[in-house]
């Protein structure tokens, strides 16, 4: 790979908006020193971040690689590594990274790196990719590209080399496959969706849940029911209310992905998207449930009177009674929140549940099929 006239290799991190851009910006502060240290020979690197939706409207690898190649030529970068939080598929496998040593570019899909320690794994992947593309052998067409990412692959099994078509721009590809690869991609997709954003995104549902909880806390019938319920029944009430909330949000906001393609590969892809939706919404709802139980417990501590409670339930107020009542009230409040979520717009729920790229992908699919949700 050539160097710029100042003896500095210019590396561009072309990142999709939102999480990929944030990860790229974090890398840009650390990567130059790490690359210079590992490349040796006094080589210097200049890393710049460009945030733009280069995956807009397509998940086709050849199209994406051509877009990246065109951007590199237009900006005269030495190396460009593109980052996206969309899961990409090729030949029945889930793509981790495509490299073209001839053109000095790479495409990295973040979900296969998993949902934990993403910054560290992405840094390692980009670092090894850039060093491979910058190596002298990368520009020799008569030699096959050396195997990069060796350390990266060994630490992040089940990543392994993948098949490449004769007409593709990439000359080296790494993919994940099998159950472990599926779980890793699923975890990465859920992380990209940032399920914790669902909590503030459901303002009307939370308002309905808080109102329901406040009413239930001062209701003597609820007091009697709470003191008579066993732990098993309280657990069943929790599971039932959380499941109802998850199902209501998915159905009401049209979050379930349906494919018109009956091919086995498309069915697997659809199941992956739907599994990530259920997990994303589930984590968000469980976080809401945890917050509600704390709020209801604090409310009960301030509101309830021991004499009044004892006269209605024939039980004294102790820590166990406070906890049991708050637990049961939270399950009731969650059902109220599910009903309240009907006042949320589908667009607001989708914005809270999905990453920016995933929202655009779904919008494109709906436009193609002419069934854009009206909510």
């Amino acid at each position: 790979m050539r160097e710029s006239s100042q003896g500095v290799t210019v590396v561009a991190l072309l990142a999709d908006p939102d999480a990929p851009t944030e990860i790229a910006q974090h890398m840009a502060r650390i990567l130059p020193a790490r690359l210079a240290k590992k490349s040796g020979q006094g080589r210097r690197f200049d890393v710049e971040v460009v945030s733009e939706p280069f995956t807009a409207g397509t998940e086709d690898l050849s199209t994406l690689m051509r877009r990246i190649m065109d951007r590199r030529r237009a900006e005269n970068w030495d190396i460009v590594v593109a980052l996206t939080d969309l899961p990409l598929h090729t030949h029945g496998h889930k793509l981790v990274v495509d490299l073209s040593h001839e053109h000095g570019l790479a495409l990295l899909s973040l979900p296969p790196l998993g949902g934990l320690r993403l910054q560290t794994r992405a840094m390692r992947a980009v670092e090894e990719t850039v060093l491979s593309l910058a190596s002298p052998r990368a520009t020799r067409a008569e030699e096959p590209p050396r195997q990069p990412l060796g350390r990266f692959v060994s630490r992040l099994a089940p990543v392994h080399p993948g098949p490449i078509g004769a007409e593709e721009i990439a000359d080296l590809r790494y993919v994940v496959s099998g159950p472990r690869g599926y779980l890793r991609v699923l975890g990465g997709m859920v992380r990209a969706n940032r399920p914790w954003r669902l909590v503030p995104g459901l303002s009307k549902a939370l308002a309905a849940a808080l109102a329901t909880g406040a009413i239930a806390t001062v209701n003597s019938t609820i007091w009697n029911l709470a003191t008579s319920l066993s732990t098993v029944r309280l657990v069943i009430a929790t599971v039932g209310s959380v499941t109802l909330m998850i199902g209501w949000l998915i159905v009401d906001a049209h979050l379930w992905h349906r494919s018109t393609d009956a091919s086995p590969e498309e069915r697997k892809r659809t199941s992956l998207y739907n599994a990530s939706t259920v997990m994303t919404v589930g984590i968000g709802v469980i976080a809401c449930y945890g917050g509600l139980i704390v709020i209801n417990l604090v409310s009960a501590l301030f509101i309830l009177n021991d004499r009044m409670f004892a006269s209605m339930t024939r039980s004294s107020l102790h820590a166990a009674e406070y906890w049991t009542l708050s637990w049961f009230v939270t399950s009731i409040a969650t059902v109220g929140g599910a009903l309240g979520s009907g006042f949320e717009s589908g667009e607001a729920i989708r914005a809270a549940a999905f990453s920016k790229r995933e929202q655009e992908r779904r919008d494109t699919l709906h436009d193609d099929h002419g069934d854009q949700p009206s909510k």
Side-chain angles (χ1 to χ4, degrees), residues 86-357:
L86 276 182
L88 301 174
H89 301 77
T90 173
H91 301 284
H93 301 287
K94 300 162 188 69
L95 178 77
V96 179
V97 61
D98 257 2
L99 299 96
S100 173
H101 291 78
E102 178 184 355
H103 300 99
L105 57 90
L107 171 60
L108 175 66
S109 176
L110 296 175
L113 302 184
L116 302 175
R117 299 176 62 241
L118 181 59
Q119 288 277 9
T120 301
R121 289 171 172 172
M123 172 72 75
R124 186 181 301 136
V126 171
E127 181 182 314
E128 296 292 331
T129 297
V130 171
L131 290 174
S132 174
L133 295 174
S135 66
R137 275 183 282 184
T139 56
R140 301 180 188 174
E142 69 275 7
E143 293 185 13
R146 70 181 180 90
Q147 294 286 310
L149 314 183
R151 183 167 62 89
F152 165 69
V153 172
S154 64
R155 292 186 182 184
L156 294 184
V159 179
H160 57 84
I164 302 175
E167 303 300 322
E168 295 190 70
I169 296 174
D171 51 39
L172 189 61
R173 170 174 293 157
Y174 279 93
V175 298
V176 294
S177 58
R180 290 179 62 197
Y182 180 92
L183 292 176
R184 186 179 293 278
V185 174
L186 181 59
M189 292 174 68
V190 172
R191 189 191 190 283
N193 287 336
R194 299 179 176 184
W196 53 88
R197 298 187 307 182
L198 194 64
V199 178
L202 296 176
S203 57
K204 293 182 178 66
L206 287 175
L210 290 171
T212 304
I215 295 171
T217 300
V218 298
N219 188 295
S220 59
T221 303
I222 301 298
W223 299 350
N224 283 294
L225 283 173
T227 55
S228 65
L229 290 176
S230 65
T231 301
V232 173
R233 290 191 175 187
L234 287 170
V235 170
I236 293 174
T238 297
V239 173
S241 62
V242 168
T243 302
L244 176 63
M245 181 74 156
I246 294 171
W248 186 283
L249 288 172
I250 290 175
V251 173
D252 190 54
H254 305 283
L255 304 184
W256 196 255
H257 178 71
R258 293 181 177 85
S259 174
T260 57
D261 188 346
S263 66
E265 182 173 347
E266 183 59 28
R267 284 201 300 269
K268 290 180 181 178
R269 185 180 304 189
T270 299
S271 68
L272 182 64
Y273 281 120
N274 287 331
S276 71
T277 297
V278 172
M279 288 189 64
T280 299
V281 177
I283 292 172
V285 170
I286 290 171
C288 289
Y289 192 96
L292 286 172
I293 202 170
V294 171
I295 294 172
N296 289 326
L297 178 59
V298 173
S299 298
L301 288 170
F302 277 97
I303 294 172
L304 296 186
N305 178 275
D306 184 52
R307 289 183 180 179
M308 179 67 70
F309 187 87
S311 67
M312 293 293 180
T313 64
R314 299 181 182 180
S315 299
S316 298
L317 264 177
H318 299 294
E321 282 70 30
Y322 278 114
W323 171 252
T324 301
L325 177 62
S326 302
W327 187 358
F328 184 50
V329 165
T330 300
S331 296
I332 297 173
T334 301
V335 175
L339 299 176
S341 68
F343 295 101
E344 303 278 4
S345 69
E347 182 179 352
I349 296 176
R350 288 189 291 272
F354 295 130
S355 68
K356 189 176 182 64
R357 293 293 95 206

